[in-house]
Every structure is written in C-alpha cells, then in structure tokens.
Amino acid sequence: MLHDSTAQAGSEKKDNFEKDTRVIFSVRVKKETTFTNLMAILFAPVIIHAGGTYANTMLPGILQSEDYFAYEYKEVGTRAGEVVFWGFLIATVIAPFLGYVYDMIGRFWFMVPACFFLSLVMALFPLSSPNFWVLCGMRGLVAIVGVII
C-alpha cells in the first residue's frame, strides 16, 4: 500500500514537471524560458571571454608602446602579470557580494549593461596611461564584468 502511494506521488511530480516545462533544441526548460534566453546562456560567456582575452593580449603592446606606458622590453612581462593579478584580485573580492545581489535581484538586470560596460572599458583602456594603477583598476573592471556575466 505504501509503495502504491509513493509511486502515485512520483507520477504526479513527473506530470507537473512535464506540464511546467517545454523542450527547446532537446533541452527541457521552464515554460517561461525563451529561445533568446537559451542563446544568451550560450553567447554571454563568449562575449566576456573575447573581452578578457583582448584585454590580456593588448597589455604587452600598450605597456611597451612609447605613446602609452613606455616600459622597457624586459619589464613588460612582469608589469602585464601584475595587471592581471590585481585585476583578478579585485574580481575575487567583489564576486561574493555580486552573488548575494544576484540572489536578491536576479541576474537579468546585469547581463546587458555588463556587455555595454565591457565595450566602454575596452575603449578607455589606452586612456589609462601613464598611470599604471588605473590600468590595473580597468583590468579589474573587465574581470568584474566576467563575474557578472
């Protein structure tokens, strides 16, 4: 008798689950989930990865350039490492607080502004010269956007 009621409860849960969900590209999602939501899950990490990779790749060039920081060739690697270190340290400190905000407000309100903000920071990156610590802070902003997305 107990087995029958347990099986019936499990059957009801399955029926409710199937009633409250739908399938998009063989992925079972909530009914409220749209195709655009599913694509955002796929493409948001691509955007932030591209921005972070660009930030790291352009660091040696901007640090060595006479027009910006003008560090000697032998200093560029150390300075680029420092920028990345401080950038990720900033993101690591801020990440727990952002997690709390996501739980309270939701992630939706941060995703699109974060992508625009990433573009703005990338455009302003060269303007951080000659202040090395401003460059570190801007790299930190890129890392924070990575945490947001």
Side-chain angles (χ1 to χ4, degrees), residues 21-132:
T21 61
R22 66 188 184 129
V23 176
I24 300 175
F25 291 132
S26 302
V27 177
R28 185 161 295 280
V29 296
K30 292 180 182 178
K31 277 200 191 259
E32 302 86 29
T33 304
T34 65
F35 176 75
T36 306
N37 296 133
L38 203 58
M39 291 298 103
I41 291 169
L42 295 174
F43 290 115
V46 171
I47 292 168
I48 188 56
H49 184 70
T53 301
Y54 175 73
N56 291 340
T57 303
M58 74 177 225
L59 276 175
I62 200 171
L63 289 170
Q64 192 174 1
S65 173
E66 298 283 330
D67 296 331
Y68 297 104
F69 290 93
Y71 285 111
E72 291 183 29
Y73 180 77
K74 61 184 176 184
E75 290 181 88
V76 170
T78 303
R79 289 296 185 164
E82 289 174 0
V83 171
V84 173
F85 169 78
W86 287 109
F88 281 114
L89 184 64
I90 291 168
T92 302
V93 169
I94 291 177
F97 302 106
L98 288 176
Y100 176 76
V101 171
Y102 290 157
D103 289 343
M104 294 297 149
I105 297 173
R107 199 172 192 147
F108 172 79
W109 299 106
F110 294 95
M111 296 276 292
V112 172
C115 290
F116 286 116
F117 186 71
L118 177 65
S119 301
L120 179 67
V121 171
M122 289 288 114
L124 296 176
F125 231 70
L127 300 178
S128 65
S129 75
N131 192 329
F132 178 75

